Amino acid sequence: MTTGYAKFREVRFFGSLDGLRALSIAGVIWFHSWWGTPYFPQFQRVPVLRQGSFGVHIFFVISGFLITTLLLRERDRCGKISIRDFYIRRALRIWPLYYATLALYVVIVLLFERNWRGESFFHYLPFFLTYTYTWFLSPKWHGGIFNLAWTLATEEQFYAFWPLVLRFFRGFWSSATIIALIALKYAADHGWTNRVLPPDWLPTRILLSASIAICLGVLLAQALHSERGFRWLYSVLGRKWSAPVMLAALAGCLYPAPFSLMAAFLATTALVGACVIREDNGLASILRLRPIAQIGVLSYGMYLFNSLSIHAVQFALARFGLLYPPLVFPLALGLATAAAWVSYRYFESRFLELKTRFSRVHPAPAEGATDGIADPRTGVPVHP
């Protein structure tokens, strides 16, 4: 087990995580392909068809794990975490494509949405620009167009403060901060704190924007970073069959409908843990297949382009009377993949290459091209 811990600490690229990302983005596009389709109103009565949206939370767990792992290893090797470098790396990874996509939406809305949907979009535009969308959602203004911004807002808000916690709080205290945040968020979600934290109060909205999934990914990274935590988790998640079992457990939590989101979050965290604690896990042969892994590499762009891709496919199919989700899904998945590949190859990679100037840890544990550290397929360092 000591050998296993040493190998884990030296891993620069967690090979199965791009595959998990691929499954996650496919689930999101599957969900959006069915949502609101006029020919299938019965979609609302078939809960299992809606579970693809949970892919977002899988992304969150992966992100929390990988970014925290990077920060902990930077602190170990350099003595402290460079907050400035972290923010610059994060901006270079997330901002260029995000703001380019938002600009594209502005043009599209100006041209084609001169209605209440367009008014709602421009009402929220300042909050899209500042990653504060989740703080100012209002029943008065429906958040339909570019609603995908909620996930980016959730992540950017969390990573605005988390490196500071790791910088100044070590060991138990940083973990205690995350556990307290999970407990407070869970209590607020269930209305247990309404007397102290009124739902419409801005601090409450900020608290409710936190993601339990990201927090659990953070705790997973902290546990695996310590040899004692690694030993304990290895006894549970370190078997070849652990990853398939945890995937089955997650499916059980979601089918036919999530009986407990917390149980699903815990199952997702266990699945990610089983996929990173040993590279030859029981799902590796599938998750590391090149076509699947490549979709995972492109998953950030695919997420930003997925709504536009789905609407383009729906528009084309409607002209032929073929607007059916089983057709929309594969075509939208293919179109989103193609658009993301072009973006990654000719646009995003230019910014990813700049990130090497702000990396103090090399080599470092890689997490692929979505938020990551080093993509072994291209050799491009892609620090979060």
Side-chain angles (χ1 to χ4, degrees):
M1 195 169 299
T2 300
T3 301
Y5 176 68
K7 288 181 178 179
F8 171 79
R9 289 295 299 266
E10 293 302 318
V11 170
R12 297 186 57 242
F13 180 79
F14 296 103
S16 295
L17 293 190
D18 278 335
L20 285 183
R21 287 195 188 93
L23 296 178
S24 301
I25 191 60
V28 170
I29 294 176
W30 166 263
F31 168 74
H32 288 158
S33 296
W34 286 83
W35 184 262
T37 303
Y39 292 112
F40 286 83
Q42 63 269 35
F43 169 80
Q44 298 291 342
R45 299 192 296 271
V46 185
V48 69
L49 297 180
R50 300 202 299 265
Q51 299 318 307
S53 61
F54 192 82
V56 168
H57 300 293
I58 300 176
F59 278 119
F60 283 165
V61 174
I62 292 172
S63 179
F65 164 76
L66 287 167
I67 288 183
T68 303
T69 296
L70 172 65
L71 292 173
L72 290 173
R73 294 186 182 183
E74 177 183 346
R75 190 174 68 186
D76 284 355
R77 297 186 186 192
C78 303
K80 66 178 182 178
I81 294 169
S82 172
I83 302 300
R84 186 207 67 160
D85 288 355
F86 173 82
Y87 288 155
I88 293 174
R89 293 195 306 264
R90 185 73 184 170
L92 287 170
R93 177 62 194 120
I94 299 299
W95 290 9
L97 184 57
Y98 176 83
Y99 286 117
T101 306
L102 183 55
L104 177 60
Y105 268 82
V106 169
V107 174
I108 292 173
V109 172
L110 284 173
L111 291 176
F112 302 109
E113 294 287 351
R114 295 180 176 273
N115 50 34
W116 66 269
R117 286 166 53 84
E119 292 180 9
S120 176
F121 173 82
F122 283 106
H123 169 79
Y124 284 119
L125 184 58
F127 311 126
F128 294 150
L129 291 168
T130 56
Y131 296 99
T132 55
Y133 172 57
T134 54
W135 297 353
F136 298 103
L137 277 170
S138 167
K140 180 180 177 181
W141 297 97
H142 189 272
I145 298 178
F146 210 65
N147 190 53
L148 58 83
W150 78 268
T151 60
L152 278 301
T154 298
E155 287 211 4
E156 294 302 87
Q157 292 159 20
F158 182 83
Y159 294 124
F161 90 92
W162 176 236
L164 295 170
V165 174
L166 278 183
R167 171 78 178 268
F168 298 108
F169 296 93
R170 292 176 178 256
F172 167 78
W173 292 109
S174 61
S175 299
T177 301
I178 290 298
I179 293 171
L181 179 59
I182 291 174
L184 194 55
K185 159 75 171 173
Y186 188 82
D189 282 342
H190 288 77
W192 300 340
T193 61
N194 286 353
R195 291 186 179 181
V196 180
L197 298 172
D200 293 331
W201 192 32
L202 181 59
T204 306
R205 289 174 175 265
I206 293 174
L207 171 64
L208 290 173
S209 294
S211 166
I212 290 178
I214 293 178
C215 292
L216 289 174
V218 166
L219 290 177
L220 174 66
Q222 291 180 307
L224 290 177
H225 189 73
S226 72
E227 186 168 3
R228 178 181 297 179
F230 181 91
R231 286 173 175 271
W232 186 85
L233 287 175
Y234 194 91
S235 65
V236 180
L237 303 177
R239 313 302 178 188
K240 274 278 270 209
W241 44 262
S242 296
V245 167
M246 296 309 163
L247 180 61
L250 175 58
C253 290
L254 296 177
Y255 180 83
F259 63 87
S260 168
L261 274 178
M262 181 59 78
F265 291 155
L266 291 171
T268 302
T269 307
L271 172 62
V272 172
C275 287
V276 300
I277 207 165
R278 57 183 297 170
E279 286 296 287
D280 61 340
N281 63 80
L283 294 175
S285 60
I286 298 173
L287 296 177
R288 301 183 74 163
L289 289 173
R290 187 173 181 82
I292 295 176
Q294 190 61 36
I295 289 175
V297 169
L298 301 174
S299 57
Y300 175 52
M302 291 175 67
Y303 180 73
L304 288 176
F305 295 141
N306 89 91
S307 292
L308 292 175
S309 300
I310 290 169
H311 285 301
V313 168
Q314 288 176 334
F315 177 79
L317 291 178
R319 295 175 65 90
F320 299 98
L322 297 173
L323 188 55
Y324 301 106
L327 287 177
V328 173
F329 169 66
L331 294 175
L333 181 66
L335 182 58
T337 303
W341 182 86
V342 172
S343 170
Y344 182 76
R345 176 66 178 83
Y346 297 105
F347 179 65
E348 296 169 72
S349 59
R350 299 173 184 269
F351 298 94
L352 298 179
E353 290 171 358
L354 294 175
K355 294 165 71 174
T356 56
R357 302 179 185 180
F358 306 98
S359 169
R360 303 174 0 158
V361 181
H362 188 76
E367 57 166 299
T370 299
D371 288 306
I373 299 154
D375 183 353
R377 291 171 288 274
T378 64
V380 177
V382 281
H383 300 263

